[in-house]
Amino acid sequence: MVTHYKCPNCGADMEFDASSGKLKCHSCQREESIEKMAGLNNIPDGAQVSYNIEDEDKKAEQTFFEKDYEDPLFEDNSTHHHAFSEHEITEYHCQNCGAVLITEPQTTATRCSFCGAGIVISERLSGTFAPDYVIPFSITKEQAQEAFKKWCKKGLLLPSDFKVADRIKDITGIYVPFWLYDLNGKGEAVATCTKVRTYTRGDWIYTETRYYNVYRKVDLDYLKVPCDASKKMDDSMMDKLEPYTYGNLKDFKMPYLAGFVAEKYDYDDEQLLPRVKNRVYSYVESYLKSTISGYTTVHFNKLDIHIRKKDAKYTLLPVWMVCYDYKKAEHTFAMNGQTGKIVGKPPISKGKVAAWFFGVSGSCFLLLRILTLIMEGGW
Amino acid sequence: MTMNKLLIKLAKTFILYFAAPLILLSAVYCIVAGSFTGTAYASTDYVTDYENGRRIFDEAGLLTDTEREYLESLSKKYGEQAGIEIIVLTHNDAHAVYPEKYIEDFEDLLPVDDRVYFLYDLYRGEIFMEGYGLAETYIHSKRIDEIFDSVEDDLRNGNYLEAFKTYIIQSAAYLEDDTELNYDHNYKYDTPPADFDADNKYTYDDYDYNYHYKSYYKAEQKKNNILFNVWFQLLISLFIGGSVVGVLAYSSGGVMTAGARDYLDRSKSGLIGCKDQYTHSTVSKVRKPSSNSSSGGGVKSSGGFNSGGFRGGVSSGGRSHSSGGRKL
């Protein structure tokens, strides 16, 4: 099923607006709350719809435009009806223009490549693929573009012609599927520690070593540790995008996706569990080790750490993907759609590396020589 | 993987563009710096000359060839008679080390023997004597002062031949004189010499000597300190430069900033078991290093500068000696 969000006012396509956090119609600037628009599309079969025609709607009705607004009850008129199966590439049609939607099996939201309307494929967001949470975009496309340009200017090793940031080929807002894991880590450590003290009596220097048996046990809860569930996205790049602020974590509603690209997960939470467990293992380990302090040496005899998954929530997190053409090569950058943090692999200018290397080394050397001269009074 | 690629690329760039010119630069620097540092003497030449029987090393060119040959024969004659080697050194080298160290370094080049040295450092306008082996006992500070008293005027007046002759004969004579041998290096003038000027910092009592050379001596120590070594500093600078570039390159693509603290639920987490049990102790002891043992290597010839009055010292090679010096 393909879902469009139509402006109740003028019937144009509405899109999620990052600055207001609402759905916005770009033709008549009307804004609608997510809850309302989500409700419109989620009305159970057979329910009576009472639609209060507001003033705007009345006006709209009087202007006799076709498809001024859609009756929510008729929303499920998807153009394709055979049963959805996961591995099948299903063909969808844009409800606006009838063009075939070019989607990959993972795509859950996209734009019609023909008319540009934001589309949500609700079928792929239901059942096991229904996300629990979403963090909506809080950075708009324009802000993202600006932030990217600013970031480029700050890069000390980037080539000058790259810094101009005038070749942004494409900037796409993507909701990337993540699993947010709640994990419990229990750790136990037995260590032999020493405290060493030296003192002088007469002509002798004494070294006293006191041995301790040290035992520590920790019980740690880690909440909402994210793990990228998309095959397409580079794992390390996605990890670097963290942290997200969970204050803005919302229960998932489809209208959030309107106007953006979204994908469903390629890996389920079981498949990604080892990766996230590994990560949390190191957290527990360093926490455990940090509890032993005040000793000269620490030798671990036993270090037992167990990580248990308590919960995993399917969550869509906002990422701006920036494609940048530079010297015939395409560089891809990702920006945290909530905090604006940028990661990627920018080109490195050899000249600038050389300049920095020589600049820093040279001035250090000069400084050291001057210091030597001052203190020595000669070469 | 991509980070590795970046690093490899960086390394390649480094070798191609930096390492080669850098080595060139360093070489140029060293040649330039080297021309300034200039070692005091080419040690091998001295050793060869010494082995060929030379005892008069007149770098300053105070003597004519005939005078020098005369002194050589004199030194040989009196040296054999006294059972020591009597050596004369002169130089006018601005970059030479201070007199005491100059003689010590010279001594360290030669095989161990009984020797007495007389150095005339024209650049500083100082004379200095050191006695090694038997000469340490026989030609001690007081006698050195007496030799200085005898030669001082001749040196001032340019009668170098006469001065060195006196030194050779008087030194040899002291080896025959067994009085005053329990001399404890604490020699002080009973009555100050006629021209002794307490306010003149170049008057040679030990304290003044110490004062005069304090800065020089410190500089000498610093020269030997690795922190002041040109190569070490170059290495440090390159390391800092490399680190800065490395960090810049590494962080250019963004770094991981999220860690355990971002996800830890502080309300439910924490330490639930904690025990620190003392089991036993062990004690080991070592003897305190005695304060007068040398630290090994580097400059050790501090003996001559002790303000306590003791005059004498130990060369880098570990040879102890008597000493004395005077400003002309």
Side-chain angles (χ1 to χ4, degrees):
Chain A
M1 187 175 89
V2 175
T3 306
H4 286 254
Y5 291 93
K6 294 292 180 189
C7 174
N9 194 18
C10 66
D13 289 298
M14 297 187 93
E15 287 178 2
F16 179 76
D17 179 48
S19 52
S20 64
K22 289 178 172 176
L23 277 186
K24 187 172 181 180
C25 168
H26 289 288
S27 321
C28 69
Q29 307 303 320
R30 184 186 167 115
E31 287 184 358
E32 284 290 340
S33 76
I34 300 294
E35 285 70 24
K36 186 174 170 191
M37 292 310 277
L40 287 177
N41 291 289
N42 278 344
I43 287 169
D45 287 340
Q48 275 294 323
V49 176
S50 56
Y51 197 94
N52 292 326
I53 297 178
E54 293 169 19
D55 290 356
E56 287 99 325
D57 293 346
K58 253 183 210 159
K59 244 187 273 164
E61 201 181 31
Q62 282 155 10
T63 51
F64 297 111
F65 277 129
E66 260 184 283
K67 289 183 182 170
D68 252 349
Y69 60 92
E70 307 265 332
D71 186 337
L73 273 179
F74 289 101
E75 270 295 293
D76 56 356
N77 57 347
S78 76
T79 48
H80 219 276
H81 282 287
H82 76 75
F84 173 79
S85 96
E86 201 188 329
H87 297 292
E88 196 177 336
I89 299 171
T90 324
E91 202 178 67
Y92 293 100
H93 289 271
C94 173
Q95 288 179 312
N96 269 7
C97 63
V100 175
L101 294 175
I102 298 157
T103 66
E104 290 176 60
Q106 295 89 2
T107 310
T108 56
T110 185
R111 281 176 183 279
C112 169
S113 50
F114 196 73
C115 69
I119 291 150
V120 178
I121 304 171
S122 37
E123 244 166 0
R124 293 178 179 177
L125 291 163
S126 56
T128 53
F129 287 104
D132 297 298
Y133 299 118
V134 62
I135 294 181
F137 276 90
S138 30
I139 289 175
T140 63
K141 192 170 189 164
E142 289 72 31
Q143 285 169 333
Q145 212 150 346
E146 274 315 301
F148 180 72
K149 280 183 184 171
K150 231 188 213 168
W151 181 77
C152 283
K153 277 187 195 121
K154 275 195 296 182
L156 295 171
L157 294 182
L158 307 191
S160 306
D161 46 346
F162 181 85
K163 279 185 167 191
V164 187
D166 57 353
R167 280 209 199 81
I168 298 177
K169 194 174 150 198
D170 188 23
I171 176 159
T172 320
I174 302 181
Y175 281 102
V176 179
F178 276 78
W179 289 102
L180 296 188
Y181 290 93
D182 288 353
L183 297 150
N184 175 265
K186 282 196 170 61
E188 216 174 356
V190 178
T192 307
C193 303
T194 64
K195 284 183 185 176
V196 178
R197 186 171 76 100
T198 54
Y199 55 92
T200 311
R201 293 270 183 284
D203 273 352
W204 296 88
I205 297 171
Y206 291 84
T207 307
E208 185 196 52
T209 312
R210 293 167 68 83
Y211 289 83
Y212 292 85
N213 261 338
V214 172
Y215 172 80
R216 294 284 186 277
K217 188 172 183 181
V218 292
D219 184 4
L220 304 169
D221 272 350
Y222 291 93
L223 299 182
K224 299 196 173 65
V225 183
C227 196
D228 156 39
S230 163
K231 206 187 278 181
K232 255 195 250 169
M233 298 291 166
D234 182 62
D235 282 352
S236 72
M237 203 147 121
M238 290 299 119
D239 284 351
K240 285 179 188 170
L241 277 181
E242 294 170 32
Y244 285 89
T245 323
Y246 293 131
N248 209 14
L249 194 68
K250 304 270 204 260
D251 288 335
F252 177 75
K253 293 202 174 57
M254 278 197 278
Y256 283 118
L257 308 189
F260 293 95
V261 174
E263 304 212 323
K264 66 185 171 69
Y265 60 82
D266 295 309
Y267 303 108
D268 65 29
D269 58 334
E270 288 303 322
Q271 283 170 302
L272 291 176
L273 197 56
R275 181 162 129 78
V276 75
K277 271 190 175 178
N278 248 342
R279 181 172 170 183
V280 169
Y281 186 96
S282 67
Y283 291 170
V284 176
E285 192 178 0
S286 61
Y287 188 98
L288 197 56
K289 285 182 176 171
S290 75
T291 60
I292 302 176
S293 60
Y295 292 100
T296 317
T297 65
V298 177
H299 173 78
F300 285 97
N301 303 324
K302 199 182 122 190
L303 196 64
D304 264 352
I305 293 172
H306 292 287
I307 312 290
R308 191 172 58 84
K309 180 184 89 170
K310 286 170 79 177
D311 202 0
K313 295 286 189 197
Y314 178 29
T315 306
L316 298 179
L317 298 181
V319 176
W320 283 108
M321 296 301 290
V322 181
C323 278
Y324 192 108
D325 257 345
Y326 178 72
K327 288 199 176 154
K328 288 174 193 162
E330 206 169 86
H331 294 263
T332 309
F333 299 89
M335 181 192 294
N336 184 320
Q338 186 190 28
T339 62
K341 184 182 177 182
I342 296 168
V343 302
K345 286 162 225 118
I348 302 278
S349 153
K350 282 179 188 174
K352 290 204 174 172
V353 170
W356 274 94
F357 180 75
F358 274 120
V360 173
S361 297
S363 35
C364 271
F365 187 59
L366 211 68
L367 196 80
L368 284 171
R369 289 317 297 165
I370 289 170
L371 274 177
T372 312
L373 266 170
I374 291 168
M375 299 180 76
E376 230 175 41
W379 285 82
Chain B
M1 185 195 82
T2 42
M3 189 46 70
N4 280 350
K5 266 188 183 167
L6 185 71
L7 284 176
I8 289 165
K9 211 170 165 186
L10 266 175
K12 272 187 186 164
T13 322
F14 173 81
I15 291 162
L16 265 173
Y17 292 87
F18 316 140
L22 205 77
I23 289 164
L24 210 74
L25 262 174
S26 322
V28 169
Y29 175 82
C30 281
I31 289 162
V32 173
S35 70
F36 283 101
T37 29
T39 41
Y41 41 73
S43 48
T44 46
D45 293 348
Y46 283 105
V47 175
T48 321
D49 283 350
Y50 169 83
E51 280 164 0
N52 293 335
R54 177 175 282 220
R55 297 295 177 264
I56 314 297
F57 297 85
D58 182 24
E59 292 293 300
L62 303 177
L63 306 165
T64 63
D65 280 353
T66 38
E67 285 174 336
R68 195 179 61 75
E69 271 158 31
Y70 171 67
L71 284 177
E72 290 280 12
S73 62
L74 211 64
S75 161
K76 207 159 287 169
K77 182 182 154 202
Y78 281 95
E80 275 167 16
Q81 185 186 314
I84 57 166
E85 286 172 6
I86 303 171
I87 291 173
V88 174
L89 308 171
T90 75
H91 74 78
N92 192 6
D93 183 358
H95 300 290
V97 293
Y98 57 92
E100 180 177 19
K101 176 92 170 118
Y102 188 91
I103 301 178
E104 282 173 357
D105 289 349
F106 196 96
E107 167 70 14
D108 286 342
L109 295 174
L110 309 182
V112 171
D113 210 332
D114 305 313
R115 285 189 197 99
V116 62
Y117 287 91
F118 186 101
L119 166 69
Y120 185 12
D121 181 339
L122 267 80
Y123 183 78
R124 291 189 173 75
E126 282 176 24
I127 47 179
F128 207 95
M129 278 185 67
E130 283 175 25
Y132 289 86
L134 269 182
E136 186 183 3
T137 317
Y138 280 89
I139 305 175
H140 48 62
S141 319
K142 187 187 175 188
R143 288 178 170 179
I144 285 172
D145 278 335
E146 282 165 8
I147 291 173
F148 286 161
D149 286 342
S150 321
V151 301
E152 207 173 18
D153 287 339
D154 279 334
L155 284 177
R156 279 211 188 94
N157 298 327
N159 301 327
Y160 303 118
L161 181 71
E162 201 53 42
F164 294 140
K165 201 174 139 189
T166 314
Y167 148 71
I168 291 168
I169 295 168
Q170 206 169 333
S171 297
Y174 278 132
L175 265 290
E176 316 278 313
D177 182 359
D178 283 350
T179 61
E180 278 192 323
L181 284 192
N182 291 329
Y183 181 66
D184 64 353
H185 296 289
N186 268 322
Y187 168 74
K188 294 266 196 260
Y189 289 106
D190 289 337
T191 50
D195 57 348
F196 181 79
D197 176 7
D199 295 327
N200 178 1
K201 66 175 180 176
Y202 294 128
T203 304
Y204 259 82
D205 71 349
D206 291 325
Y207 182 75
D208 285 342
Y209 194 86
N210 187 25
Y211 175 84
H212 179 58
Y213 278 109
K214 205 174 244 172
S215 58
Y216 194 90
Y217 182 65
K218 273 194 180 152
E220 181 68 21
Q221 268 188 325
K222 271 174 200 153
K223 240 177 229 170
N224 287 298
N225 190 332
I226 188 163
L227 290 176
F228 292 91
N229 183 295
V230 173
W231 288 108
F232 182 74
Q233 290 181 338
L234 191 69
L235 209 74
I236 291 286
S237 306
L238 290 182
F239 179 75
I240 294 172
S243 314
V244 167
V245 171
V247 168
L248 281 179
Y250 180 74
S251 59
S252 69
V255 288
M256 185 91 185
T257 49
R261 67 187 183 286
D262 293 306
Y263 304 112
L264 184 66
D265 179 8
R266 274 165 235 282
S267 62
K268 283 185 199 142
S269 300
L271 202 58
I272 53 173
C274 179
K275 202 158 67 179
D276 294 67
Q277 194 177 29
Y278 168 74
T279 54
H280 64 285
S281 292
T282 60
V283 178
S284 66
K285 62 176 184 177
V286 286
R287 190 176 276 283
K288 218 196 278 182
S290 58
S291 53
N292 59 5
S293 77
S294 52
S295 54
V299 179
K300 279 183 272 179
S301 54
S302 58
F305 303 148
N306 280 348
S307 54
F310 171 79
R311 289 211 307 214
V314 181
S315 74
S316 306
R319 295 268 282 148
S320 80
H321 60 79
S322 62
S323 68
R326 187 171 292 188
K327 197 95 182 167
L328 276 185

